[in-house]
Every structure is written in structure tokens, then in C-alpha cells.
């Protein structure tokens, strides 16, 4: 039985696809057989971030509609042995994803994979609800900014009422907060919500803090999940998050401003 | 308030404004989400009862459920027309 993890947020552009690529790569790198599914039907992006856009032949919707087998649609990653990508369709409507269709695909994947990572589209409507419906765990990607935090809270409400686990009265979906695009300098200046602020408002356990980093854009330019930039702050932060997801206890990093010392910051008012 | 917070608060601290606004809106939206399904109907029936005695419009009755850890409070606000 695979563990099903949805990467969700409500608000768009906060880093779901970046996170899905890195978390799935990190799980696979540790030897777990992992598949990452792009639920963003109509706007596929995961293939670009994973550098397999030219190898897409069939997609998720083709499989749901019986036009291709799962084996035909799955793309094997070229860097990490046990990683596969199921791309989204670019031409169809989000409504092409039905609960029965998604269930069929997930059940089949469950038989051979350890982890199924679902990259949710933005919003709280059909597509996002399909991506989270079968989840066992949810990584709620949040930026330290008012509309993102509010949308995360709304997605938490949906996880708690409209997921399969909620509808079936099973144990709730395990929720994780992943705070991304974090800038400790701006937090110190009182311009950005702190980790503590967001934790206090959303009241779910913190999986990790990913710093705002130029490396993320550079990595995505090259189709490299940023977790493979092993010397970068964002890459290491994602690696920590994967370790915590697997139950390891790792201290949180990249949460404080590094460049200036404590006192110079205080007295220069920086 | 910690030492660092003291320095933070002296500046134009928009993050603390953001936090306060979020706490309010999130609490409100969570309240809405936890509303029992029967609430709209309850509100309608209350309105009908009150209308037997005073003439009020729909927006003059407000029903809210306030949940605390130990209990839930049904809050009913009726604005009576001025005589
Ligand atoms: N930690 C980070 N530092 C800097 N830039 C980042 C970081 N995380 C994500 N980004 C950038 O933010 C943009 C949006 O990221 P991404 O596509 O992962 O978001 P998304 O939530 O999947 O968006 P959508 O809702 O459209 O699917 C990208 O340009 C990405 O490079
Ligand atoms: Mg995306």
C-alpha cells in the first residue's frame, strides 16, 4: 500500500510544483519507489521542473479514459532510479478528472509504489479537491503573506471535511505546514510574518521552512528539482523536510538572518 | 514582549498588523465552516416566529454559533425597528 501525499495550498504560485518535484525526488533518493502525479490538468508544469517535457507521450487523463495504460504514461526519471512522473494533460478540462478515474489510477499505482505525491492545482475547486481526496498526508505550502495563509486555512478546512478520510470517518489526513519563500531579514525588519506567526495562526505541525532563494529559479531553468542542488540552502531545507516526513528528527534551519550578527542588526536597525 | 520585539515594534511593523488581521479573519472563517447545516433553516423559522409579533426584515436577525473548547453558544441578534 502506497502512502499518498498531496501538495496543496489554495493560493497559486506559492511553490507547490517546486515542492512536489523536490519532495518526490528526495523520497526516491532514499530508495522509496515514488511517483509524482501532476493534477494541474490544462496547465502542466511538473514535466518542465522535472526535465521530462519532451518525453511526454500519454498523460493522466489518457490513462483515466482508457486511451493508454499506466505503463505507457509513466515517465521514468533519468537521475533518480526509483522515481516516476505521471504528467498532466495540457489540452483537457479539469473536469476530465473524476473521482472514480482518479481512484482507479491511484489504486493501480498503490500496488507497486511506496509513495504517491500529488501536485495540486491552485484554487479550492474541483481540481484541487480531486488532488487531495485520496490523501493520507497533506503538505500545505504557504508563503509568509496574508492571502496565502488565509487560503491555506481554507484548504485545511477542505481536508478536514471533503477528503476521503473525512467522508469515511477515518483518521484525519495528516497535515504538515511547509513555509516557503521565507526571508528572515524581512521578518527581522517586521515586514514579513514569522514562522512562529504562521504556526500560531494555522496551528498545524511545521514540516520545514524553505528560504526565498535564487537557486530555486536557477534550478527550475535547468529542469532540476532544487533538492538535487545539495549545497544550496533551499536544497538542504527540502532535504530536511523529506527526512522529517519520514519521521527523522531534524532541527529547523534557515530561519534566522545569517549575514549580520545579532547586535549589529539591533543597533543599525537593519 | 521580548527584547527583540521591542525594537521591532518601534518601526513600522506591518507584519504584526498582518498577523492581527489574519487571526481575526481566520477565526471568523473557521466559525462559518463549522456552522451546523440546520442553521439557515433555524434562522428562517426564527424570523417567522418573530414576525408574528414585530415586522422585521431578513437582515435584522443574525444567528451565529460560537464554539469554545467546553461549549458552543448559539448567538441570536434581533434588531427591532424603531417605533
Ligand atoms: N523558495 C523559493 N525561492 C524563490 N523562488 C521560489 C521558491 N519557491 C518557488 N519559487 C518560485 O515561485 C514560482 C512559483 O512556483 P511553483 O510553480 O512551484 O508554484 P505553484 O504553487 O506550483 O504554482 P501554481 O499554483 O501555478 O501551480 C516559480 O517561479 C518558482 O521558481
Ligand atoms: Mg504548480
Amino acid at each position: 500500500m502506497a502512502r499518498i501525499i498531496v501538495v496543496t495550498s489554495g493560493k497559486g504560485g506559492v511553490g507547490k510544483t517546486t515542492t512536489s518535484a523536490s519532495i518526490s525526488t528526495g523520497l526516491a533518493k532514499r530508495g522509496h519507489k515514488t511517483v509524482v502525479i501532476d493534477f494541474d490538468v490544462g496547465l502542466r508544469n511538473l514535466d518542465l521542473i522535472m526535465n521530462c517535457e519532451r518525453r511526454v507521450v500519454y498523460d493522466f487523463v489518457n490513462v483515466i479514459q482508457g486511451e493508454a495504460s499506466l505503463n505507457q504514461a509513466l515517465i521514468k526519471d533519468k537521475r533518480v532510479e526509483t522515481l516516476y512522473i505521471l504528467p498532466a494533460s495540457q489540452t483537457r478540462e479539469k473536469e476530465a478528472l473524476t473521482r472514480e478515474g482518479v481512484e482507479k489510477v491511484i489504486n493501480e499505482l498503490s500496488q507497486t509504489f511506496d509513495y504517491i505525491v500529488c501536485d495540486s492545482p491552485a484554487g479550492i475547486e474541483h481540481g484541487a479537491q480531486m488532488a487531495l481526496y485520496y490523501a493520507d498526508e497533506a503538505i500545505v505550502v504557504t508563503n509568509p503573506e496574508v492571502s496565502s495563509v488565509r487560503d491555506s486555512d481554507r484548504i485545511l478546512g477542505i481536508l478536514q471535511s471533503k477528503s476521503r478520510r473525512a467522508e469515511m470517518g477515518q483518521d484525519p489526513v495528516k497535515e504538515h505546514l511547509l513555509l516557503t519563500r521565507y526571508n528572515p531579514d524581512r521578518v527581522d525588519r517586521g515586514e514579513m510574518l514569522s514562522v512562529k506567526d504562521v504556526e500560531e495562526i494555522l496551528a498545524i505541525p511545521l514540516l520545514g521552512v524553505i528560504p526565498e532563494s535564487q537557486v530555486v529559479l536557477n534550478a527550475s531553468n535547468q529542469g532540476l528539482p532544487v533538492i538535487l542542488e545539495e549545497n544550496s540552502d533551499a536544497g538542504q531545507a527540502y532535504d530536511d523536510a523529506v527526512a522529517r516526513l519520514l519521521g527523522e528528527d531534524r532541527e529547523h534551519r534557515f530561519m534566522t538572518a545569517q549575514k549580520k550578527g545579532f547586535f549589529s542588526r539591533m543597533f543599525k536597525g537593519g | 514582549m521580548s527584547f527583540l520585539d521591542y525594537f521591532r515594534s518601534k518601526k513600522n511593523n506591518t507584519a504584526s498588523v498582518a498577523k492581527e488581521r489574519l487571526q481575526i479573519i481566520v477565526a471568523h472563517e473557521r466559525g462559518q465552516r463549522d456552522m451546523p447545516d440546520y442553521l439557515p433553516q433555524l434562522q428562517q423559522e426564527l424570523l417567522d416566529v418573530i414576525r408574528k409579533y414585530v415586522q422585521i426584515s431578513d437582515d435584522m436577525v443574525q444567528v451565529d454559533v460560537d464554539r469554545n473548547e467546553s461549549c458552543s453558544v448559539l448567538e441570536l441578534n434581533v434588531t427591532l425597528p424603531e417605533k
Side-chain angles (χ1 to χ4, degrees), chain A residues 69-133:
Chain A
S69 72
L70 204 43
N71 280 333
Q72 285 175 303
L74 283 175
I75 301 174
K76 190 176 186 318
D77 189 75
K78 287 210 164 135
R79 288 168 293 234
V80 186
E81 187 63 29
T82 54
L83 181 59
Y84 291 77
I85 299 112
L86 183 56
S89 158
Q90 222 164 8
T91 51
R92 317 219 188 187
E93 309 273 296
K94 292 217 188 303
E95 281 62 35
L97 297 182
T98 58
R99 214 176 253 185
E100 299 69 36
V102 174
E103 182 175 25
K104 189 187 80 175
V105 173
I106 284 189
N107 282 346
E108 201 178 331
L109 289 170
S110 270
Q111 292 172 7
T112 46
F113 284 91
D114 302 321
Y115 287 94
I116 302 175
V117 177
C118 305
D119 180 16
S120 174
I124 55 174
E125 303 302 324
H126 183 78
Q129 294 197 14
M130 282 299 115
L132 68 76
Y133 188 72

Side-chain angles (χ1 to χ4, degrees), chain A residues 213-265:
Chain A
S213 168
Q214 181 63 42
V215 180
V216 175
L217 185 60
N218 286 336
S220 75
N221 282 341
Q222 306 168 64
L224 188 72
V226 70
I227 196 169
L228 294 175
E229 294 282 17
E230 287 168 8
N231 295 318
S232 69
D233 51 359
Q236 291 174 6
Y238 272 117
D239 190 68
D240 285 353
V242 172
R244 290 187 202 107
L245 198 59
L246 294 170
E248 248 178 75
D249 196 15
R250 285 214 187 164
E251 212 176 306
H252 287 280
R253 299 190 273 173
F254 314 110
M255 287 173 24
T256 48
Q258 304 260 307
K259 290 179 197 89
K260 289 179 271 176
F262 178 71
F263 280 100
S264 65
R265 212 164 60 229

Side-chain angles (χ1 to χ4, degrees), chain A residues 145-147 149-150 153-154 156-158 160 187-194 196-197 200-203 262 265-267 269-270, chain B residues 2-9 11-31 33-34:
Chain A
E145 168 271 314
V146 283
S147 52
V149 175
R150 180 204 208 162
D153 194 67
R154 297 180 72 186
L156 287 169
I158 292 174
Q160 290 157 13
V187 174
D188 281 359
R189 290 200 294 268
E191 296 168 2
M192 185 181 264
L193 291 163
S194 69
K196 203 174 119 252
D197 292 339
E200 223 173 280
I201 293 160
L202 294 178
F262 178 71
R265 212 164 60 229
M266 302 239 44
F267 294 115
Chain B
S2 81
F3 189 52
L4 194 64
D5 284 345
Y6 173 74
F7 282 89
R8 273 175 67 168
S9 68
K11 303 200 109 191
N12 197 5
N13 192 330
T14 56
S16 61
V17 178
K19 184 180 179 185
E20 268 169 44
R21 291 175 60 217
L22 271 168
Q23 279 170 326
I24 293 165
I25 188 69
V26 163
H28 175 76
E29 286 175 351
R30 280 183 193 156
R33 181 152 99 206
D34 294 339

Side-chain angles (χ1 to χ4, degrees), chain A residues 11-18 40 122 181 210-213 216-217 220:
Chain A
K11 188 169 158 66
V14 296
K16 291 179 294 298
T17 300
T18 304
D40 209 344
R181 311 201 69 159
I210 313 296
E212 168 77 25
S213 168
V216 175
L217 185 60
S220 75

